[in-house]
Amino acid sequence: MVGAALAVVAAVNQVVIASTPTNDDYMHLAIAQQLLGGDWPLRDFFDVYGVLMYGISALAQLMFGHRLLSEAVVVGFALAVSVYLVFSLVRALTGSTVAGVLSAVLLIAAGPRGYSYPKVLIYAVAAMLWWRYVSAPTWPKTVALGAWVAIAFLWRADHGVYVAMGVALAVVAAHGSSRLAAVRLAQAAAVAVVMVSPILLLASATIGLRSYIESGLTMFSAQHTTSNTHTWPKWPVRRLSDVIRLDGAEEFAPTVGLRWTDDSPADARATVLARYGLTPVGSDGPSVQTVRMANQAPETIRDLINEPIVADTAGIDRGQSAIPWSTWPIWDRLQFSQWWLRVRLFAGVDEQTAAAESVAALFYVLPLVVAVVALPWMQRYLTADATGVRLIAFALFGVVTAFGLMRSPYDVRAVDDVVVPAILFGCCVSALWRAARASRPLTRGVLTVTVVLFSLLVVKSVAVAGQFGDRVSWLSGEGRSLSRMHGAWREVRDRLIAQPPLTYWNGMAGPVDVQLARYAAECVPQSRRLLVLWFAPQLYYYADRLMASRHLFYESGYERIAFEQQRTLEKIQRFAPPVVLATGDLDTFRRQAYPTLVDYIHREYETAGTVSDEGQQYQVLIRRNEHVVRPYGEHQWPCLT
């Protein structure tokens, strides 16, 4: 029952996250559209993901329509299953429901981005299969391990490699360096090869097996071997104030706005601020000032309102002479009045980037600590299945996932490696707690404090890195009003059910990518294709247009593969997209990486309009001799329908 409840919470959390995707989230969604549009993998498009990634998304779109809800169902279900499996596994290894809950909470709090759901589901299932095998190794379980290697590979090739390394560790943990171990590894490998053979045959028949392998290795190299890919994270907890700190009450006082009379002198304003204990925190022009108000007594508020040089106030209920809930949320009120609520533990990880650095450091170190330091005593406090050899092997699997799944910048990717560290974390917490209960009073106190602080540091770091608290605050209306809470949930619903997704922005200008997508949706015929020359897969998804290229983006990596450049240009020439969208660096970075493509664009297309946003210029190019029906929008872009 507890595991099911945690799974439901995880599903809801991920559905909320899926309602506001990042541009990376649209990569496999746009590729899924290619699949539904009749394109074949490898032959017609090449993606960093595997067929399961966009195949499942395509199936979801068939079932639930072209809307964000389709992917939200996939991601929510994946995280629900993952949380349940991790909870059940940790409870089985430790005999502790509390440890299982703490491990599951890490997965929920991590809140990985939608496109990262395989990094959670794949390794949650792999961990479950791993421990089932080492506890009672049988031939059917060997088949299951080999099958999961293949499934992981079909989600993305490197996942197959990492899971295969985990399978090898499981077999060695169960059988040592014996003949049986070699036989079981061969059996698992055979199953995996048979299951991935269809995609390998497709690769051989379309682009050639060698080209397929070269493409995969090139992209892997681009992502994992640059100088800053695996930089050591900066540990953020360095001072005593990063561990424990007491904030002042004034930091939680309500903020109100004062509009001074135009002729009021600066010294008179300063006198009023001092009289009422107001602390300036900002200004908006010469006569408007934002202040924190430490004294909220009704008579104080009335006197402030009646000050001759105070022309108006904002954030004050003038009729009641009080600070309304919409201005001063309940949590801030409580922290203002109760000193013990202002005690901040591990304040060094209160900021998301610092917390992500902490998560990366913990996830790198935790498997090594379990394998080298904690093992001698840790296994005594776990169940019989968690033997020393098995814990070492599983911890080494954690090392594999840490270096495989985490890379800079850590504020984006650190939480992706949450599964194996969460399981090891649950085992460590349970063992520490039981060691404390079995110790003498002094040692018991030290170990109890240690386990509490360790748990708090890990959970808080993961929650802040995953922005869990910000999400909960937004969904609860920031504690200001029920209408704000209803508005947040209504926005989630509206984003998810809008069909097509672009209709959510009806009546709103939207960001520049929405404006360009709306133009493409309304002005590029459904039968024609679109070409986008920077990383913006959301344009294909929102415009509901197939891509004329083999690739979703033109960043570093693909330009190293000569045959991919050639095939890409051939496909673009074949489909002759009427509209090309590009950024202002078309003749700088893009030309350096893809000179033949840029030359083709200049030869066949002409600039029809531009739009700028936050210092970046975007170009609309139209194919020469296309029949323009009408101008579109305020920028008068050429419309072909």
Side-chain angles (χ1 to χ4, degrees), residues 570-593:
E570 289 173 355
K571 182 178 179 181
I572 293 172
Q573 291 173 327
R574 183 168 72 254
F575 284 104
V579 170
V580 174
L581 302 177
T583 55
D585 60 4
L586 181 63
D587 288 310
T588 54
F589 171 74
R590 297 296 181 273
R591 178 176 288 282
Q592 293 175 15

Side-chain angles (χ1 to χ4, degrees), residues 432-433 435-453:
L432 277 169
W433 185 259
R437 297 304 91 193
S439 301
R440 294 179 179 180
L442 180 59
T443 305
R444 180 185 308 165
V446 172
L447 287 178
T448 300
V449 171
T450 299
V451 71
V452 169
L453 291 178

Side-chain angles (χ1 to χ4, degrees), residues 46 211 214-216 218-219 557-566:
F46 192 94
S211 298
E214 181 186 350
S215 298
T218 298
M219 293 310 299
Y558 286 126
E559 82 280 4
R560 308 176 195 174
I561 312 171
F563 77 89
E564 278 296 336
Q565 287 224 35
Q566 179 184 348

Side-chain angles (χ1 to χ4, degrees), residues 251-513:
E251 295 185 38
F252 303 95
T255 57
V256 298
L258 300 180
R259 183 163 63 82
W260 305 102
T261 56
D262 293 336
D263 58 350
S264 57
D267 57 344
R269 296 179 182 183
T271 299
V272 170
L273 293 177
R275 181 181 303 146
Y276 297 97
L278 304 176
T279 305
V281 294
S283 61
D284 184 13
S287 299
V288 178
Q289 195 166 21
T290 303
V291 298
R292 287 196 180 276
M293 190 171 191
N295 186 349
Q296 304 92 36
E299 58 273 15
T300 300
I301 294 176
R302 281 196 298 269
D303 290 345
L304 175 64
I305 293 172
N306 293 324
E307 281 287 344
I309 64 171
V310 176
D312 197 6
T313 58
I316 294 177
D317 184 339
R318 298 171 70 90
Q320 299 293 324
S321 296
I323 306 296
W325 292 97
S326 59
T327 299
W328 198 19
I330 185 171
W331 182 240
D332 286 351
R333 290 173 184 258
L334 290 173
Q335 288 180 292
F336 179 80
S337 61
Q338 305 295 324
W339 72 267
W340 56 275
L341 291 176
R342 298 196 298 272
V343 176
R344 294 171 61 187
L345 292 175
F346 296 110
V349 297
D350 278 347
E351 190 269 326
Q352 198 251 347
T353 300
E357 297 281 338
S358 173
V359 168
L362 289 167
F363 286 3
Y364 278 131
V365 170
L366 186 58
L368 296 174
V369 170
V370 171
V372 178
V373 180
L375 186 64
W377 62 267
M378 183 174 168
Q379 59 182 325
R380 291 182 293 170
Y381 299 102
L382 301 177
T383 60
D385 287 339
T387 66
V389 171
R390 295 170 186 175
L391 284 170
I392 290 175
F394 190 71
L396 292 176
F397 185 30
V399 174
V400 170
T401 63
F403 283 92
L405 302 182
M406 290 195 301
R407 65 184 194 274
S408 301
Y410 291 117
D411 58 348
V412 176
R413 300 184 177 95
V415 295
D416 290 350
D417 178 43
V418 68
V419 172
V420 177
I423 295 168
L424 295 174
F425 166 71
C427 292
C428 286
V429 168
S430 178
L432 277 169
W433 185 259
R434 286 178 175 161
R437 297 304 91 193
S439 301
R440 294 179 179 180
L442 180 59
T443 305
R444 180 185 308 165
V446 172
L447 287 178
T448 300
V449 171
T450 299
V451 71
V452 169
L453 291 178
F454 173 61
S455 301
L456 180 60
L457 172 63
V458 174
V459 173
K460 182 175 181 179
S461 295
V462 172
V464 176
Q467 299 178 298
F468 182 76
D470 294 341
R471 197 173 306 116
V472 171
S473 176
W474 175 59
L475 291 173
S476 63
E478 299 174 338
R480 296 176 183 271
S481 67
L482 287 176
S483 61
R484 290 175 69 97
M485 182 177 70
H486 292 158
W489 284 100
R490 185 167 54 249
E491 181 179 344
V492 171
R493 181 203 63 191
D494 292 347
R495 285 177 177 270
L496 290 174
I497 67 174
Q499 186 176 12
L502 199 57
T503 59
Y504 169 79
W505 298 96
N506 285 351
M508 296 182 281
V512 67
D513 57 347

